[in-house]
Amino acid sequence: EPSTNVLNVFPNPCSNSVTLDMPGGIPIHEVKCFDNYGRPMYVILRQTEDENKLYFNLRSGIYYLRIITAEKSFVAQFIVLEE
């Protein structure tokens, strides 16, 4: 049985988008993205009934997501490799 506390971010590494697989399909209220220095990065969240997709134009590197829902927040890391 899948854990109800684990957020899955894929593909990882990525180039210009990732899918956020939320535990239990809980809706996302807000997503914040930061670089390794804690600077906020611009990302666009598109939510449909089937998936949550995050789009961005980021340089190669490691980035961190803070995903906020009604009940809790999640932190995830992903790697961008420019094409």
Side-chain angles (χ1 to χ4, degrees), residues 1-6 21 23-24:
E1 178 175 313
S3 169
T4 57
N5 292 312
V6 178
D21 189 11

Side-chain angles (χ1 to χ4, degrees), residues 9-71:
V9 177
F10 62 92
N12 193 2
C14 61
S15 57
N16 60 4
S17 71
V18 291
T19 298
L20 307 175
D21 189 11
M22 297 300 293
I26 53 178
I28 297 172
H29 286 292
E30 187 179 4
V31 173
K32 294 182 179 183
C33 180
F34 303 94
D35 68 7
N36 247 352
Y37 301 101
R39 295 179 298 211
M41 299 285 116
Y42 181 71
V43 294
I44 297 170
L45 173 65
R46 297 255 189 261
Q47 294 187 80
T48 66
E49 228 172 84
D50 299 323
E51 68 179 3
N52 301 297
K53 200 116 180 182
L54 205 57
Y55 296 93
F56 39 78
N57 185 10
L58 300 172
R59 302 184 78 120
S60 293
I62 299 171
Y63 295 89
Y64 301 90
L65 294 174
R66 182 177 178 100
I67 294 123
I68 297 153
T69 70
E71 295 163 9

